[in-house]
Protein backbone atom coordinates (compact mmCIF):
# COMPACT_ATOMS: atom_id res chain seq x y z
CA UNK A 1 0.00 0.00 0.00
CA UNK A 2 1.55 3.31 -1.06
CA UNK A 3 1.40 6.05 1.57
CA UNK A 4 1.00 9.23 -0.45
CA UNK A 5 0.04 12.33 1.50
CA UNK A 6 1.82 13.77 4.52
CA UNK A 7 -0.69 14.47 7.28
CA UNK A 8 -0.56 15.89 10.74
CA UNK A 9 -1.31 13.53 13.63
CA UNK A 10 -3.18 16.35 15.38
CA UNK A 11 -5.50 16.80 12.36
CA UNK A 12 -6.26 13.05 12.29
CA UNK A 13 -6.94 13.01 16.06
CA UNK A 14 -9.19 16.10 15.80
CA UNK A 15 -11.11 14.62 12.87
CA UNK A 16 -11.90 11.44 14.80
CA UNK A 17 -12.53 13.34 18.03
CA UNK A 18 -15.18 15.36 16.17
CA UNK A 19 -16.83 12.22 14.79
CA UNK A 20 -15.61 12.42 11.20
CA UNK A 21 -14.97 9.41 9.00
CA UNK A 22 -11.22 9.10 8.37
CA UNK A 23 -10.09 8.87 4.74
CA UNK A 24 -7.98 5.98 3.41
CA UNK A 25 -4.90 8.21 3.06
CA UNK A 26 -5.21 9.46 6.64
CA UNK A 27 -5.47 5.90 7.98
CA UNK A 28 -2.57 4.58 5.87
CA UNK A 29 -0.40 7.50 6.93
CA UNK A 30 -1.12 7.39 10.65
CA UNK A 31 -0.53 3.62 10.95
CA UNK A 32 2.65 3.76 8.88
CA UNK A 33 4.01 6.82 10.71
CA UNK A 34 3.19 5.27 14.11
CA UNK A 35 4.99 2.04 13.19
CA UNK A 36 8.06 4.04 12.15
CA UNK A 37 7.99 6.13 15.35
CA UNK A 38 6.99 9.38 13.62
CA UNK A 39 3.64 9.54 15.40
CA UNK A 40 4.27 9.55 19.16
CA UNK A 41 2.69 7.10 21.63
CA UNK A 42 0.69 9.92 23.26
CA UNK A 43 -0.75 10.92 19.88
CA UNK A 44 -1.71 7.35 19.01
CA UNK A 45 -3.20 6.95 22.51
CA UNK A 46 -5.38 10.03 21.90
CA UNK A 47 -6.46 8.66 18.51
CA UNK A 48 -7.25 5.24 20.02
CA UNK A 49 -9.41 6.94 22.66
CA UNK A 50 -11.19 8.98 19.96
CA UNK A 51 -11.84 5.73 18.05
CA UNK A 52 -13.13 4.07 21.23
CA UNK A 53 -15.56 6.94 21.86
CA UNK A 54 -16.60 7.71 18.25
CA UNK A 55 -16.24 4.29 16.59
CA UNK A 56 -15.22 3.55 13.00
CA UNK A 57 -17.34 2.59 9.99
CA UNK A 58 -16.84 -0.91 8.51
CA UNK A 59 -14.90 0.68 5.62
CA UNK A 60 -12.60 2.58 8.00
CA UNK A 61 -12.05 -0.57 10.09
CA UNK A 62 -11.21 -2.64 6.99
CA UNK A 63 -8.71 0.01 5.85
CA UNK A 64 -7.19 0.31 9.34
CA UNK A 65 -6.67 -3.47 9.29
CA UNK A 66 -5.13 -3.42 5.81
CA UNK A 67 -2.74 -0.67 6.93
CA UNK A 68 -1.67 -2.79 9.92
CA UNK A 69 -1.11 -5.80 7.62
CA UNK A 70 1.00 -3.56 5.35
CA UNK A 71 3.13 -2.46 8.32
CA UNK A 72 5.01 -5.78 8.17
CA UNK A 73 5.57 -8.96 6.21
CA UNK A 74 2.94 -11.36 4.92
CA UNK A 75 3.44 -15.11 4.76
CA UNK A 76 3.35 -16.20 1.10
CA UNK A 77 1.57 -19.55 0.82
CA UNK A 78 1.27 -19.64 -2.99
CA UNK A 79 3.38 -22.81 -3.30
CA UNK A 80 1.14 -24.82 -0.95
CA UNK A 81 -0.85 -27.33 -3.04
CA UNK A 82 -3.84 -27.53 -0.71
CA UNK A 83 -6.56 -24.93 -0.01
CA UNK A 84 -5.48 -22.85 3.01
CA UNK A 85 -7.85 -22.16 5.86
CA UNK A 86 -7.41 -21.11 9.47
CA UNK A 87 -9.46 -20.79 12.66
CA UNK A 88 -9.16 -18.12 15.31
CA UNK A 89 -10.78 -18.21 18.73
CA UNK A 90 -11.21 -15.09 20.83
CA UNK A 91 -10.09 -17.25 23.78
CA UNK A 92 -11.75 -19.14 26.56
CA UNK A 93 -11.25 -21.45 29.51
CA UNK A 94 -10.36 -25.01 28.46
CA UNK A 95 -10.36 -23.99 24.79
CA UNK A 96 -8.04 -26.61 23.34
CA UNK A 97 -9.99 -26.92 20.07
CA UNK A 98 -6.99 -25.94 17.90
CA UNK A 99 -5.25 -29.16 18.98
CA UNK A 100 -7.73 -31.68 17.53
CA UNK A 101 -9.09 -29.32 14.83
CA UNK A 102 -5.84 -28.50 13.00
CA UNK A 103 -4.78 -32.12 12.27
CA UNK A 104 -8.41 -33.12 11.59
CA UNK A 105 -8.90 -30.46 8.89
CA UNK A 106 -5.47 -31.32 7.47
CA UNK A 107 -6.47 -34.99 7.28
CA UNK A 108 -9.55 -33.87 5.31
CA UNK A 109 -7.31 -32.28 2.63
CA UNK A 110 -6.80 -28.62 3.60
CA UNK A 111 -3.69 -26.80 4.88
CA UNK A 112 -4.05 -25.12 8.27
CA UNK A 113 -1.37 -22.65 9.38
CA UNK A 114 -2.12 -21.86 13.02
CA UNK A 115 0.16 -19.00 13.99
CA UNK A 116 -0.60 -18.83 17.68
CA UNK A 117 0.36 -17.00 20.83
CA UNK A 118 1.05 -17.69 24.47
CA UNK A 119 -1.56 -17.27 27.18
CA UNK A 120 -1.91 -14.20 29.38
CA UNK A 121 -4.40 -14.07 32.26
CA UNK A 122 -7.10 -16.69 32.78
CA UNK A 123 -7.25 -18.10 29.21
CA UNK A 124 -4.48 -20.42 28.06
CA UNK A 125 -2.28 -20.12 24.98
CA UNK A 126 -2.01 -22.86 22.36
CA UNK A 127 1.82 -22.76 22.31
CA UNK A 128 1.96 -23.24 26.09
CA UNK A 129 -0.24 -26.31 25.72
CA UNK A 130 1.85 -27.89 22.96
CA UNK A 131 5.10 -27.12 24.76
CA UNK A 132 4.08 -29.67 27.40
CA UNK A 133 4.88 -32.34 24.75
CA UNK A 134 8.56 -33.38 25.13
CA UNK A 135 10.74 -31.99 22.33
CA UNK A 136 8.02 -29.97 20.58
CA UNK A 137 9.30 -26.75 19.01
CA UNK A 138 7.15 -23.62 18.51
CA UNK A 139 9.55 -21.57 16.36
CA UNK A 140 9.60 -22.34 12.64
CA UNK A 141 10.99 -20.31 9.74
CA UNK A 142 8.62 -19.26 6.90
CA UNK A 143 10.18 -22.00 4.70
CA UNK A 144 9.61 -24.64 7.39
CA UNK A 145 5.98 -23.48 7.73
CA UNK A 146 5.40 -23.79 3.96
CA UNK A 147 7.07 -27.23 3.75
CA UNK A 148 5.02 -28.66 6.60
CA UNK A 149 1.80 -27.19 5.22
CA UNK A 150 2.42 -28.75 1.86
CA UNK A 151 3.38 -32.11 3.32
CA UNK A 152 1.44 -32.65 6.59
CA UNK A 153 -1.13 -29.89 6.02
CA UNK A 154 -0.96 -28.75 9.64
CA UNK A 155 1.34 -26.35 11.48
CA UNK A 156 0.87 -24.76 14.89
CA UNK A 157 3.72 -22.37 15.61
CA UNK A 158 4.69 -18.98 17.01
CA UNK A 159 3.76 -15.95 14.91
CA UNK A 160 6.92 -14.30 13.58
CA UNK A 161 7.86 -10.84 14.88
CA UNK A 162 7.52 -9.40 11.38
CA UNK A 163 3.74 -9.99 11.05
CA UNK A 164 1.65 -6.83 11.67
CA UNK A 165 4.20 -4.95 13.84
CA UNK A 166 1.79 -1.97 14.01
CA UNK A 167 -0.62 -4.18 15.94
CA UNK A 168 2.01 -5.31 18.44
CA UNK A 169 2.86 -1.66 19.19
CA UNK A 170 -0.73 -0.47 19.27
CA UNK A 171 -1.99 -3.39 21.38
CA UNK A 172 0.65 -2.68 24.08
CA UNK A 173 -0.41 0.99 24.04
CA UNK A 174 -4.13 0.16 24.26
CA UNK A 175 -3.43 -2.11 27.20
CA UNK A 176 -2.15 0.82 29.30
CA UNK A 177 -4.53 3.54 28.07
CA UNK A 178 -7.96 1.98 28.69
CA UNK A 179 -8.61 1.54 24.97
CA UNK A 180 -8.70 -2.24 24.60
CA UNK A 181 -12.52 -2.40 24.69
CA UNK A 182 -13.25 -0.90 21.27
CA UNK A 183 -14.84 -3.35 18.83
CA UNK A 184 -13.20 -1.82 15.69
CA UNK A 185 -9.79 -1.87 17.44
CA UNK A 186 -10.22 -5.44 18.74
CA UNK A 187 -11.46 -6.67 15.36
CA UNK A 188 -8.70 -4.96 13.36
CA UNK A 189 -6.07 -6.24 15.81
CA UNK A 190 -7.21 -9.87 15.49
CA UNK A 191 -7.71 -9.73 11.74
CA UNK A 192 -4.43 -7.96 10.89
CA UNK A 193 -2.50 -10.96 12.26
CA UNK A 194 -4.73 -13.49 10.50
CA UNK A 195 -4.67 -11.70 7.13
CA UNK A 196 -0.86 -11.44 7.35
CA UNK A 197 -0.79 -15.26 7.55
CA UNK A 198 -1.74 -15.32 3.88
CA UNK A 199 -4.65 -17.80 4.12
CA UNK A 200 -7.54 -17.95 1.66
CA UNK A 201 -10.25 -18.40 4.28
CA UNK A 202 -10.86 -18.05 7.97
CA UNK A 203 -13.38 -19.25 10.55
CA UNK A 204 -13.76 -17.33 13.79
CA UNK A 205 -14.90 -18.80 17.07
CA UNK A 206 -16.22 -15.81 19.02
CA UNK A 207 -16.60 -16.84 22.66
CA UNK A 208 -19.40 -15.41 24.75
CA UNK A 209 -19.92 -15.67 28.52
CA UNK A 210 -18.16 -15.22 31.87
CA UNK A 211 -14.90 -16.85 30.75
CA UNK A 212 -14.68 -14.80 27.54
CA UNK A 213 -13.76 -11.29 26.47
CA UNK A 214 -17.35 -10.71 25.31
CA UNK A 215 -19.75 -11.25 28.19
CA UNK A 216 -23.09 -10.98 26.35
CA UNK A 217 -24.54 -12.14 23.06
CA UNK A 218 -25.13 -8.66 21.57
CA UNK A 219 -21.47 -7.72 22.08
CA UNK A 220 -20.34 -11.07 20.68
CA UNK A 221 -22.55 -10.59 17.57
CA UNK A 222 -21.15 -7.10 17.06
CA UNK A 223 -17.56 -8.40 17.25
CA UNK A 224 -18.32 -11.40 15.01
CA UNK A 225 -19.94 -9.14 12.39
CA UNK A 226 -16.96 -6.74 12.46
CA UNK A 227 -14.50 -9.65 12.06
CA UNK A 228 -16.43 -11.19 9.16
CA UNK A 229 -16.74 -7.80 7.42
CA UNK A 230 -13.00 -7.11 7.72
CA UNK A 231 -12.08 -10.55 6.37
CA UNK A 232 -14.49 -10.23 3.45
CA UNK A 233 -13.30 -6.69 2.60
CA UNK A 234 -9.71 -7.99 2.61
CA UNK A 235 -10.41 -10.87 0.22
CA UNK A 236 -10.86 -13.81 2.64
CA UNK A 237 -13.82 -16.18 2.74
CA UNK A 238 -14.79 -15.58 6.37
CA UNK A 239 -17.52 -16.73 8.76
CA UNK A 240 -17.94 -16.92 12.53
CA UNK A 241 -19.58 -19.15 15.11
CA UNK A 242 -20.56 -17.58 18.42
CA UNK A 243 -20.09 -20.19 21.13
CA UNK A 244 -20.83 -20.43 24.82
CA UNK A 245 -18.03 -19.72 27.29
CA UNK A 246 -20.02 -19.54 30.51
CA UNK A 247 -18.83 -23.10 31.31
CA UNK A 248 -15.26 -24.40 30.71
CA UNK A 249 -14.93 -26.28 27.43
CA UNK A 250 -14.44 -29.99 28.09
CA UNK A 251 -13.16 -31.22 31.44
CA UNK A 252 -9.49 -30.20 31.33
CA UNK A 253 -8.18 -26.67 31.99
CA UNK A 254 -4.37 -26.36 31.96
CA UNK A 255 -1.65 -27.15 29.46
CA UNK A 256 -0.73 -30.86 29.66
CA UNK A 257 -4.24 -31.76 30.93
CA UNK A 258 -5.71 -30.15 27.78
CA UNK A 259 -3.26 -31.94 25.47
CA UNK A 260 -4.30 -35.27 27.03
CA UNK A 261 -7.97 -34.40 26.45
CA UNK A 262 -7.29 -33.37 22.83
CA UNK A 263 -5.58 -36.74 22.24
CA UNK A 264 -8.66 -38.52 23.66
CA UNK A 265 -10.79 -36.65 21.08
CA UNK A 266 -8.37 -37.56 18.28
CA UNK A 267 -8.62 -41.21 19.37
CA UNK A 268 -12.39 -41.10 18.92
CA UNK A 269 -13.43 -40.32 22.53
CA UNK A 270 -13.29 -37.18 24.68
CA UNK A 271 -15.96 -34.88 26.11
CA UNK A 272 -19.09 -34.32 24.04
CA UNK A 273 -18.79 -30.51 23.88
CA UNK A 274 -15.17 -30.62 22.64
CA UNK A 275 -16.13 -33.11 19.92
CA UNK A 276 -19.22 -31.08 18.92
CA UNK A 277 -17.31 -27.82 18.56
CA UNK A 278 -14.35 -29.45 16.79
CA UNK A 279 -16.70 -30.94 14.19
CA UNK A 280 -18.78 -27.76 13.78
CA UNK A 281 -15.66 -25.65 13.15
CA UNK A 282 -14.18 -28.34 10.87
CA UNK A 283 -17.36 -28.35 8.72
CA UNK A 284 -17.26 -24.57 8.49
CA UNK A 285 -13.57 -24.62 7.45
CA UNK A 286 -14.07 -27.43 4.94
CA UNK A 287 -16.94 -25.57 3.29
CA UNK A 288 -14.70 -22.52 2.76
CA UNK A 289 -11.93 -24.77 1.44
CA UNK A 290 -14.25 -26.39 -1.13
CA UNK A 291 -14.06 -29.75 0.71
CA UNK A 292 -17.60 -29.99 2.06
CA UNK A 293 -17.99 -33.51 0.61
CA UNK A 294 -15.52 -34.83 3.24
CA UNK A 295 -17.16 -35.88 6.53
CA UNK A 296 -14.86 -34.85 9.42
CA UNK A 297 -16.73 -37.16 11.84
CA UNK A 298 -15.62 -40.14 9.76
CA UNK A 299 -12.02 -38.88 9.60
CA UNK A 300 -12.02 -38.48 13.39
CA UNK A 301 -13.57 -41.89 14.02
CA UNK A 302 -11.34 -43.94 11.69
CA UNK A 303 -8.00 -42.73 13.08
CA UNK A 304 -6.89 -40.53 10.17
CA UNK A 305 -7.08 -37.40 12.36
CA UNK A 306 -4.93 -39.05 15.05
CA UNK A 307 -2.33 -40.09 12.45
CA UNK A 308 -2.30 -36.51 11.20
CA UNK A 309 -1.73 -35.26 14.80
CA UNK A 310 1.27 -37.60 15.22
CA UNK A 311 2.77 -36.38 11.94
CA UNK A 312 2.16 -32.74 12.91
CA UNK A 313 3.85 -33.18 16.32
CA UNK A 314 6.80 -35.15 14.89
CA UNK A 315 7.30 -32.55 12.13
CA UNK A 316 8.04 -30.07 14.93
CA UNK A 317 10.40 -32.44 16.79
CA UNK A 318 7.84 -33.50 19.41
CA UNK A 319 7.21 -37.08 20.55
CA UNK A 320 3.45 -37.78 20.41
CA UNK A 321 3.92 -41.05 22.34
CA UNK A 322 5.94 -39.53 25.23
CA UNK A 323 4.38 -39.27 28.69
CA UNK A 324 3.02 -35.81 29.51
CA UNK A 325 4.10 -34.02 32.69
CA UNK A 326 2.01 -34.83 35.78
CA UNK A 327 1.52 -32.56 38.78
CA UNK A 328 3.16 -33.42 42.10
CA UNK A 329 0.09 -32.43 44.13
CA UNK A 330 -3.56 -33.18 43.35
CA UNK A 331 -6.40 -32.14 45.67
CA UNK A 332 -10.14 -32.50 45.19
CA UNK A 333 -13.06 -30.16 45.73
CA UNK A 334 -16.14 -32.15 46.71
CA UNK A 335 -19.86 -31.52 46.21
CA UNK A 336 -21.35 -29.90 49.32
CA UNK A 337 -24.80 -31.45 48.72
CA UNK A 338 -26.73 -33.88 46.52
CA UNK A 339 -28.51 -32.62 43.38
CA UNK A 340 -27.78 -31.53 39.80
CA UNK A 341 -24.73 -29.40 39.02
CA UNK A 342 -26.56 -26.32 37.74
CA UNK A 343 -23.60 -23.97 37.10
CA UNK A 344 -19.83 -24.23 36.74
CA UNK A 345 -18.43 -20.79 36.09
CA UNK A 346 -15.74 -20.61 33.38
CA UNK A 347 -14.13 -17.50 34.82
CA UNK A 348 -13.78 -18.96 38.35
CA UNK A 349 -12.29 -22.20 37.00
CA UNK A 350 -9.95 -20.22 34.70
CA UNK A 351 -8.68 -18.11 37.59
CA UNK A 352 -8.20 -21.23 39.75
CA UNK A 353 -6.13 -22.92 37.00
CA UNK A 354 -4.12 -19.74 36.53
CA UNK A 355 -3.37 -19.48 40.27
CA UNK A 356 -2.28 -23.13 40.33
CA UNK A 357 0.41 -22.18 37.79
CA UNK A 358 -1.21 -22.96 34.41
CA UNK A 359 -1.11 -19.34 33.23
CA UNK A 360 1.12 -16.29 33.50
CA UNK A 361 0.50 -12.82 34.95
CA UNK A 362 3.24 -11.10 32.90
CA UNK A 363 4.61 -11.93 29.46
CA UNK A 364 7.98 -12.91 30.95
CA UNK A 365 6.55 -15.49 33.42
CA UNK A 366 6.91 -19.26 32.92
CA UNK A 367 3.94 -21.61 33.03
CA UNK A 368 3.80 -24.95 34.85
CA UNK A 369 2.84 -27.48 32.21
CA UNK A 370 1.23 -29.95 34.62
CA UNK A 371 -0.87 -27.40 36.55
CA UNK A 372 -4.61 -26.91 36.10
CA UNK A 373 -8.12 -28.02 36.97
CA UNK A 374 -9.98 -31.17 35.92
CA UNK A 375 -13.75 -30.74 36.01
CA UNK A 376 -15.05 -34.15 37.08
CA UNK A 377 -18.69 -33.04 36.70
CA UNK A 378 -20.28 -30.67 34.19
CA UNK A 379 -23.60 -28.79 34.38
CA UNK A 380 -26.49 -31.20 34.04
CA UNK A 381 -24.64 -34.06 35.85
CA UNK A 382 -26.21 -35.57 39.01
CA UNK A 383 -23.85 -35.37 41.98
CA UNK A 384 -24.02 -36.68 45.54
CA UNK A 385 -22.75 -34.91 48.65
CA UNK A 386 -19.02 -35.61 49.14
CA UNK A 387 -18.45 -36.68 45.54
CA UNK A 388 -15.32 -35.13 43.91
CA UNK A 389 -16.33 -32.23 41.62
CA UNK A 390 -12.99 -30.72 40.67
CA UNK A 391 -9.35 -31.83 40.84
CA UNK A 392 -6.69 -29.18 41.47
CA UNK A 393 -3.28 -30.04 39.96
CA UNK A 394 -0.08 -28.18 40.83
CA UNK A 395 3.62 -28.57 41.60
CA UNK A 396 3.34 -25.79 44.20
CA UNK A 397 1.00 -26.77 47.07
CA UNK A 398 1.05 -23.19 48.40
CA UNK A 399 -1.14 -22.18 45.42
CA UNK A 400 -4.03 -24.48 46.42
CA UNK A 401 -5.60 -22.05 48.91
CA UNK A 402 -5.81 -19.27 46.26
CA UNK A 403 -7.33 -21.70 43.76
CA UNK A 404 -9.98 -22.83 46.27
CA UNK A 405 -10.79 -19.18 46.97
CA UNK A 406 -11.32 -18.52 43.21
CA UNK A 407 -13.83 -21.39 43.18
CA UNK A 408 -16.01 -20.00 45.99
CA UNK A 409 -19.39 -19.28 44.35
CA UNK A 410 -18.17 -20.70 41.01
CA UNK A 411 -20.47 -23.74 41.12
CA UNK A 412 -24.05 -24.33 42.19
CA UNK A 413 -26.01 -27.48 42.89
CA UNK A 414 -29.79 -27.37 42.53
CA UNK A 415 -32.75 -29.71 42.91
CA UNK A 416 -33.77 -29.27 39.24
CA UNK A 417 -33.19 -32.24 36.93
CA UNK A 418 -32.41 -30.67 33.58
CA UNK A 419 -29.79 -28.03 32.89
CA UNK A 420 -29.21 -27.33 29.24
CA UNK A 421 -26.81 -24.79 27.77
CA UNK A 422 -26.50 -24.79 23.96
CA UNK A 423 -22.87 -24.66 22.86
CA UNK A 424 -23.29 -22.94 19.48
CA UNK A 425 -25.25 -19.74 20.01
CA UNK A 426 -25.19 -18.20 16.53
CA UNK A 427 -23.47 -18.20 13.13
CA UNK A 428 -22.44 -15.03 11.29
CA UNK A 429 -21.73 -15.18 7.55
CA UNK A 430 -20.67 -12.56 5.00
CA UNK A 431 -23.46 -10.84 3.10
CA UNK A 432 -21.30 -10.57 -0.03
CA UNK A 433 -18.44 -12.34 -1.82
CA UNK A 434 -14.86 -11.62 -0.66
CA UNK A 435 -13.32 -8.53 -2.31
CA UNK A 436 -10.82 -9.47 -5.03
CA UNK A 437 -8.47 -12.47 -4.87
CA UNK A 438 -7.18 -13.16 -1.34
N1 LIG B 1 -6.89 -10.11 20.90
C1 LIG B 1 -6.16 -9.41 20.01
O1 LIG B 1 -5.37 -9.97 19.27
N2 LIG B 1 -6.35 -8.10 19.95
C2 LIG B 1 -7.22 -7.43 20.75
O2 LIG B 1 -7.35 -6.22 20.62
C3 LIG B 1 -7.96 -8.17 21.67
C4 LIG B 1 -7.78 -9.53 21.74
Amino acid sequence: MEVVAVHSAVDVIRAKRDGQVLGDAQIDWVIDAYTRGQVADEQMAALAMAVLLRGMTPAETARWTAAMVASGETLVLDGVRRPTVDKHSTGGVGDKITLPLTPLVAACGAAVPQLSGRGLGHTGGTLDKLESIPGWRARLSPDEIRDRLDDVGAVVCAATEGLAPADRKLYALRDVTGTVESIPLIASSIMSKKIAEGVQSLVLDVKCGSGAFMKDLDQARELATALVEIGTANGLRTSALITDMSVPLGRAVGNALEVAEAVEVLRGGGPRDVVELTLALAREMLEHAGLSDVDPAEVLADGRAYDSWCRMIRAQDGDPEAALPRAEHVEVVTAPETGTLARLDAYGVGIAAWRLGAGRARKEDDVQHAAGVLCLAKPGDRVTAGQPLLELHTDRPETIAGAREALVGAYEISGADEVSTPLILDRVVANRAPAGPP
Side-chain angles (χ1 to χ4, degrees):
M1 190 181 314
E2 197 191 346
V3 178
V4 277
V6 175
H7 299 265
S8 131
V10 177
D11 287 346
V12 179
I13 296 164
R14 281 200 188 112
K16 188 41 77 184
R17 180 198 67 191
D18 296 343
Q20 291 171 26
V21 172
L22 300 180
D24 290 352
Q26 283 176 307
I27 293 173
D28 295 350
W29 176 79
V30 82
I31 297 288
D32 178 63
Y34 178 58
T35 311
R36 289 187 291 108
Q38 289 177 356
V39 164
D41 273 348
E42 57 270 26
Q43 292 177 309
M44 199 57 176
L47 180 58
M49 184 59 80
V51 168
L52 181 134
L53 296 173
R54 292 294 197 167
M56 285 202 285
T57 64
E60 279 178 295
T61 312
R63 189 70 181 204
W64 185 283
T65 311
M68 294 214 291
V69 174
S71 72
E73 24 182 88
T74 307
L75 205 57
V76 179
L77 300 179
D78 293 353
V80 176
R81 290 163 297 174
R82 299 161 173 246
T84 55
V85 55
D86 194 10
K87 182 260 335 182
H88 176 80
S89 158
T90 56
V93 177
D95 185 1
K96 73 282 294 169
I97 297 292
T98 294
L99 308 185
L101 180 68
T102 305
L104 168 62
V105 173
C108 293
V112 190
Q114 267 282 339
L115 271 50
S116 301
R118 290 173 203 284
L120 197 59
H122 73 282
T123 63
T126 300
L127 301 182
D128 296 322
K129 297 174 201 198
L130 284 168
E131 278 173 347
S132 56
I133 300 174
W136 188 84
R137 169 166 75 95
R139 293 217 161 270
L140 296 183
S141 70
D143 281 345
E144 288 178 316
I145 296 175
R146 276 186 291 269
D147 284 355
R148 281 153 182 78
L149 280 178
D150 204 35
D151 178 18
V152 184
V155 169
V156 183
C157 66
T160 62
E161 295 280 301
L163 295 185
D167 174 63
R168 190 164 318 109
K169 215 174 155 188
L170 180 55
Y171 191 45
L173 185 71
R174 287 166 55 214
D175 211 19
V176 293
T177 55
T179 50
V180 168
E181 298 88 348
S182 150
I183 295 226
L185 292 181
I186 296 171
S188 55
S189 165
I190 292 173
M191 292 301 287
S192 63
K193 289 168 281 203
K194 289 287 140 182
I195 294 167
E197 265 182 17
V199 284
Q200 294 157 329
S201 31
L202 177 66
V203 174
L204 296 140
D205 180 3
V206 177
K207 300 283 180 203
C208 172
S210 73
F213 213 36
M214 298 287 129
K215 307 291 179 204
D216 72 56
L217 193 53
D218 286 343
Q219 276 182 325
R221 279 205 186 98
E222 202 186 325
L223 178 60
T225 305
L227 292 165
V228 170
E229 273 171 1
I230 294 172
T232 309
N234 282 278
L236 268 70
R237 290 180 287 274
T238 316
S239 61
L241 297 183
I242 299 176
T243 67
D244 181 60
M245 189 27 74
S246 54
V247 179
L249 196 52
R251 294 183 181 276
V253 181
N255 303 302
L257 294 171
E258 294 191 40
V259 171
E261 186 169 275
V263 170
E264 272 177 50
V265 170
L266 286 157
R267 288 198 145 131
R272 207 164 2 130
D273 56 349
V274 180
V275 176
E276 180 187 344
L277 187 52
T278 302
L279 290 176
L281 289 165
R283 290 195 178 100
E284 201 75 24
M285 291 166 80
L286 293 172
E287 188 179 323
H288 288 314
L291 294 165
S292 46
D293 52 329
V294 185
D295 179 4
E298 218 173 272
V299 177
L300 197 56
D302 67 14
R304 276 178 285 166
Y306 180 68
D307 291 345
S308 168
W309 159 263
C310 292
R311 293 180 71 209
M312 174 180 99
I313 297 300
R314 285 198 185 100
Q316 289 176 235
D317 304 332
D319 178 358
E321 312 291 342
L324 292 166
R326 293 168 76 100
E328 286 167 24
H329 299 271
V330 179
E331 284 200 14
V332 293
V333 175
T334 54
E337 58 192 298
T338 297
T340 300
L341 184 64
R343 197 171 63 80
L344 180 62
D345 181 54
Y347 183 70
V349 174
I351 295 290
W354 177 61
R355 289 187 179 170
L356 290 165
R360 52 172 72 76
R362 294 168 310 150
K363 280 208 300 284
E364 314 67 57
D365 296 347
D366 284 332
V367 297
Q368 267 184 65
H369 287 117
V373 177
L374 261 189
C375 307
L376 303 176
K378 292 288 294 271
D381 289 351
R382 290 287 299 168
V383 295
T384 49
Q387 172 185 330
L389 275 188
L390 299 156
E391 264 180 22
L392 311 181
H393 292 231
T394 187
D395 293 336
R396 287 192 275 125
E398 67 276 15
T399 62
I400 298 262
R404 285 190 184 275
E405 188 189 279
L407 292 166
V408 172
Y411 52 88
E412 198 180 305
I413 294 168
S414 85
D417 272 349
E418 275 296 302
V419 180
S420 102
T421 35
L423 179 59
I424 298 175
L425 304 172
D426 206 352
R427 177 169 182 258
V428 176
V429 293
N431 54 14
R432 64 194 162 105

